[in-house]
Amino acid sequence: MRFFSDNAAAAHPAVLEAFAEANRLDTAYDGDAWSRRLDGVFSGLFGTDVRALWVTSGTAANCIALAAMVPPYGGVLCHREAHINVDEAGAPEFFTGGAKLLLVDGPGAKVTPEILAEARGRIRADVHQVQPSAVSITNATEYGLTYSPEETAAVGEFARSHGLGFHLDGARFANAVASLDVPVSELTWKAGVDALSFGFVKNGGFSAEALILFKPELASAAERLRKRSGHLLSKGRYLAAQLLAMVEDDVWLDNARHANDAARRLAEAAPGRLVHPVEANEVFVRLTAEEAASLRAQGFDFYDWGVGEARLVTSWNQDLGDVDRLAAAIREL
Amino acid sequence: MRFFSDNAAAAHPAVLEAFAEANRLDTAYDGDAWSRRLDGVFSGLFGTDVRALWVTSGTAANCIALAAMVPPYGGVLCHREAHINVDEAGAPEFFTGGAKLLLVDGPGAKVTPEILAEARGRIRADVHQVQPSAVSITNATEYGLTYSPEETAAVGEFARSHGLGFHLDGARFANAVASLDVPVSELTWKAGVDALSFGFVKNGGFSAEALILFKPELASAAERLRKRSGHLLSKGRYLAAQLLAMVEDDVWLDNARHANDAARRLAEAAPGRLVHPVEANEVFVRLTAEEAASLRAQGFDFYDWGVGEARLVTSWNQDLGDVDRLAAAIREL
Amino acid sequence: MRFFSDNAAAAHPAVLEAFAEANRLDTAYDGDAWSRRLDGVFSGLFGTDVRALWVTSGTAANCIALAAMVPPYGGVLCHREAHINVDEAGAPEFFTGGAKLLLVDGPGAKVTPEILAEARGRIRADVHQVQPSAVSITNATEYGLTYSPEETAAVGEFARSHGLGFHLDGARFANAVASLDVPVSELTWKAGVDALSFGFVKNGGFSAEALILFKPELASAAERLRKRSGHLLSKGRYLAAQLLAMVEDDVWLDNARHANDAARRLAEAAPGRLVHPVEANEVFVRLTAEEAASLRAQGFDFYDWGVGEARLVTSWNQDLGDVDRLAAAIREL
Amino acid sequence: MRFFSDNAAAAHPAVLEAFAEANRLDTAYDGDAWSRRLDGVFSGLFGTDVRALWVTSGTAANCIALAAMVPPYGGVLCHREAHINVDEAGAPEFFTGGAKLLLVDGPGAKVTPEILAEARGRIRADVHQVQPSAVSITNATEYGLTYSPEETAAVGEFARSHGLGFHLDGARFANAVASLDVPVSELTWKAGVDALSFGFVKNGGFSAEALILFKPELASAAERLRKRSGHLLSKGRYLAAQLLAMVEDDVWLDNARHANDAARRLAEAAPGRLVHPVEANEVFVRLTAEEAASLRAQGFDFYDWGVGEARLVTSWNQDLGDVDRLAAAIREL
């Protein structure tokens, strides 16, 4: 019973079906019938004109977006625990040609305009220090917290007023949307977001993420960076088909709701143990080494998260029986 | 009836089947059961210990290999018409951090030790000029010519004697092997090749290429570069499964033979029109504008290649009826 | 009697004097009194508002200019024998983050709009090929030829009409101006030049070159790149003082005239031997190995330039007696 | 009376004299008589074979050293307040091709093996996180503290035992040596240092710093990086001559002693105000806004350093009368 992560689950049947349909000759790269529908379908979803590019990983989506916004001598304001800083092996520095991540702190890996303003205020506006060119946040955060439309818009207003790009790492954007139950527009372009890494792999896809550009002027750079980084696959239709299958019947939202629901069940079993509020599909709990060992002995797998804490992540297809068994086991600790 | 390229065909049924089997929970990234078999299976195929990494594009395979061999201030000797120079949007410069492609000429996009030595001889061995760190060749070449084991070994000996890495772009390596009918070892490590971009997408896969490292000391850099460039997909098993399906029952070789056979049929129909010998699955023919128009009017699609020439590429699943129809149409021009 | 190059001569007395005057405490970096005069003095010289930055080498001037104009995924149209391609160790690729030099040919290392248009025409306007973002020419060229105002303006019009930046490598700009005897404005901004590497080191300075920006919007990037590449010296006043000394009493022009005159004397001694017209301070002559050896035996030092050719370069302070001796020796061969 | 920094003072007479002597024709780049003496002179100074390269700025010295040690996908353990992190505009990221500075804390901008080990211990040894390739420390630190031979050797042992390069930013190395009164060998190669940025500009030079390589195998990369970054000046003899003048008669040490002595006098005037021990030529004192204003009204110039603190820096030629006046003024606050 695996609660390691949502990044290794099987793909949703609709995705596989779409994939099989795409298994026929069509134009290479993104000239095929599936790829050519992406802009339209995502524009419909977001209620505004967007450019939507498939890529094969969240790292690629994040870093292509950042490199399209940030010059090599620029900087990106982000949380110290952001995935782009911690778990992407320096990919942002690589894609941007050496831009600097300008790190801030904040509970639950969330940032606020106040935190950002404080960090920016410490940067002298001279040529000796790297100046920020963009802000990047993650929704839901690396600790499973969400940014509401208001919170997102406040960051967006900070970015706008300082002439910064605004990137949203949405590896678990679906979970945030499902949790907040608000229109996607309010978490993105209406809140000032310029580019969204819209994650599907953790939510039922297998190899396709969407880079959504709300500023069309970013598209040219992004398309060149996608090619230049080896992400313009020749048989792109297999990626586009995955995305379309996820979006067209709200599969992405249903999947995220399932995962969130599973996390909520775990959270309700451990009210006194929660390290962070549970607002998406990740549950961080305090567990002694003995308690963790006891759960593992009962067949539950998960990561320790520092000393005395553990991370439980639920997937789009997490077996709810397993979830309830884990919830019960936690209650009995 | 499409003869544009082999990079847009459907995937082979064995690949799809393996893919479906991989559709279950396993460890993320390359920790899954499929990925962990790659080294062994490819070591068996090549008859020596190799490291085999999946990536999603030939550009990624080529450029990760080059960046693992070449420092940012180094150079890569390659043909002016090499894919890495012409059609990868500066990806080698990006992955290497600004290394320089040092271009040479030669008929059919082939290089020889003599050509390479001449080019290297023109480079002053001082700090003002970029020094070569590696040689890269393509087999089969961008014009469908092959390097025999002897030709490859001659380039390998040049590389070895000058302390250069040796990279082989094998986007159509399968076609070269099928055409030459020699052991893969003789076209690679026995000939001095350090790293091979082993192409599967053009030959029946959909999104997985293999980067084969014959020098294990390149693996650490290559693995980091794969992650750093966004190519370490979290559900890597779907890529590994494709490669295994292609290799395990010689699907790769059968597919390449089919494509080569189709090309041979076209070549035999146009002996006086051939721009290059046809040694793999690409046929470059001289066609007047009227002739090209006539063929297109009969339903045959292909690319013009400069003025008065056209490129015909055959796929692993090219309909041989179509091939014979095109052959007949060419004969009748 | 050295005719190797103009890049190793002593500095002009006025430069040394200015240098000594700068030897007192002032604000660091470019906040000092000397540096703050540069924009004004060079704006006066060029007859338009410019930004003028000191740097310590022509490579730095060239590459900061290019990196301010060209994104990492862009390209620079330039001559195959341009210094930036041949003798800067990949510095353009380094400063730009991996942009590609898109090489053209042409006699005497000169390019024309026709040559550039032909090269650009061969580049497919898709994401697979690097698109040009700028043109760079050298005046006087690496072979000592000049671009007239009309020739420069023709390249400028090409750049403008294709949306490209226009960089002028003026390592020997002074020699070109002295030779053509035209206002500097006509060789630069009136001809569409966006950025000029204005060389002083070869012409009587010792460690200061000027990067002249005719488009003020390039200044912010250029200033950051200067710092980021380690070229923002803390005691910049020593560099600024050199430039001011060279410009304020037309020292730069007098020096260039002297060097050009010396070259002309050599050219007149070897009319049948000239490989290129002599329009600045470089003389390329055909010499057999025996002839070269004979000259060297008489005490004349110079570089061979390929087989059967030699390069003679004259400096701002070349002894005219030596020049006449060399001229006589050539006549007697 | 300026106590802003030591980076804007005039040059020492011996330096100017040497400079004037270098003002004659010699071989370009580093082939001249002065440059060719550097290895020998610095090898003598350090008591071991070193390679000594001139560069024009501390940023260049630091970043060439780091880029010679650290691959683009590597990391550099350093203090959060290190000059390379705070005040070099991202130059380390630029020179290395995107390596990451891995930041640690510690009082006075000093690091210890314990601090480094703790930071390294938090980095998972997988491909998702940037692995350290080098350690960089500054002696004297950005707060004017010194590392003793033992402290340096302890860091060196940490580096050695973890396979890391060891870089020493010695912008004020002379001040550290003068303060500690130990052989330079004990602060460098005997303590495991691989590369030293030996600062002279802050100590009486005007445009020459020395990059000292204790590992000869770093020289090839460093020389190429120097050229590639535009730091291989054609008239290098003017830089070499400065370094030789500083080293040959212990000018560097005398100058540093003077600056340190001046700082000590200030420190003795403000025992209760010191933020850090004063071990070199920087004095950080607690001053209220009123006190700072009072000093400025008396003609003393200096930087505020955050709120309620100020930085006083003394130069090699600081007027001791001024120093005593400032000391008296502080006492009277």
Side-chain angles (χ1 to χ4, degrees), chain B residues 73 80 84-90 93-94 97-101 124 127-130, chain C residues 73 80 84-90 93-94 97-101 124 127-130:
Chain B
Y73 51 83
R80 190 178 312 283
I84 56 173
N85 186 47
V86 173
D87 277 310
E88 297 191 352
E93 290 85 349
F94 174 56
K100 205 173 179 90
L101 302 186
R124 299 191 316 271
V127 299
H128 302 274
Q129 300 204 316
V130 175
Chain C
Y73 51 84
R80 189 178 312 283
I84 56 172
N85 186 46
V86 173
D87 277 311
E88 298 190 352
E93 291 85 349
F94 174 56
K100 204 173 180 90
L101 302 186
R124 298 192 316 271
V127 297
H128 302 274
Q129 300 204 316
V130 175

Side-chain angles (χ1 to χ4, degrees), chain A residues 86-297:
Chain A
V86 174
D87 278 310
E88 297 192 352
E93 290 86 350
F94 174 57
F95 276 78
T96 58
K100 206 172 178 90
L101 302 186
L102 305 168
L103 305 177
V104 302
D105 292 299
K110 281 183 75 170
V111 304
T112 63
E114 293 70 34
I115 290 171
L116 294 168
E118 197 276 331
R120 188 177 170 284
R122 275 184 284 114
I123 298 169
R124 299 191 316 271
D126 63 27
V127 299
H128 302 273
Q129 300 204 316
V130 174
Q131 306 297 310
S133 299
V135 177
S136 178
I137 66 171
T138 309
N139 194 13
T141 76
E142 288 73 10
Y143 288 108
L145 275 71
T146 57
Y147 286 87
S148 69
E150 294 71 29
E151 289 171 320
T152 308
V155 174
E157 175 54 24
F158 171 84
R160 195 200 56 73
S161 69
H162 293 94
L164 309 178
F166 186 8
H167 167 250
L168 176 53
D169 179 350
R172 295 186 181 94
F173 183 64
N175 302 95
V177 175
S179 170
L180 293 161
D181 199 20
V182 295
V184 289
S185 60
E186 296 194 11
L187 290 172
T188 55
W189 63 275
K190 288 188 178 169
V193 171
D194 297 318
L196 165 68
S197 303
F198 195 158
F200 290 96
V201 171
K202 288 184 166 73
N203 193 32
F206 43 84
S207 68
E209 309 281 39
L211 173 55
I212 308 296
L213 303 172
F214 300 102
K215 289 179 79 168
E217 61 265 39
L218 297 174
S220 171
E223 289 184 299
R224 294 197 172 279
L225 290 163
R226 178 172 66 167
K227 170 66 192 182
R228 184 171 168 83
S229 59
H231 285 282
L232 184 65
L233 273 59
S234 58
K235 301 185 181 175
R237 62 189 182 275
Y238 293 103
L239 303 184
Q242 294 178 52
L243 300 179
L244 294 172
M246 289 291 287
V247 169
E248 291 187 319
D249 290 311
D250 279 349
V251 173
W252 67 285
L253 210 45
D254 293 340
N255 284 1
R257 285 186 184 123
H258 179 96
N260 287 0
D261 181 52
R264 192 182 42 73
R265 294 185 192 205
L266 296 178
E268 289 171 357
R273 297 178 177 275
L274 297 180
V275 183
H276 300 289
V278 173
E279 300 176 359
N281 66 324
E282 296 188 288
V283 184
F284 292 80
V285 289
R286 277 179 285 274
L287 286 183
T288 65
E290 294 71 29
E291 291 170 335
S294 161
L295 292 176
R296 287 185 175 118

Side-chain angles (χ1 to χ4, degrees), chain D residues 114-172:
Chain D
E114 293 70 35
I115 289 170
L116 294 168
E118 197 275 331
R120 188 177 170 284
R122 275 185 282 114
I123 299 169
R124 299 191 316 270
D126 63 27
V127 298
H128 302 273
Q129 301 203 318
V130 174
Q131 306 298 310
S133 299
V135 177
S136 179
I137 67 171
T138 309
N139 194 13
T141 75
E142 288 73 9
Y143 288 108
L145 275 70
T146 57
Y147 286 86
S148 70
E150 295 70 30
E151 289 171 321
T152 309
V155 174
E157 175 55 23
F158 172 83
R160 196 200 56 72
S161 69
H162 293 95
L164 310 178
F166 186 8
H167 168 250
L168 177 53
D169 179 351
R172 296 187 180 94

Side-chain angles (χ1 to χ4, degrees), chain A residues 11 23 57 201 205 229-231 235, chain B residues 11 16 23 57 201 205 229-231 235:
Chain A
N23 191 40
S57 68
V201 171
S229 59
H231 285 282
K235 301 185 181 175
Chain B
L16 284 172
N23 190 39
S57 68
V201 171
S229 59
H231 286 282
K235 301 186 181 175

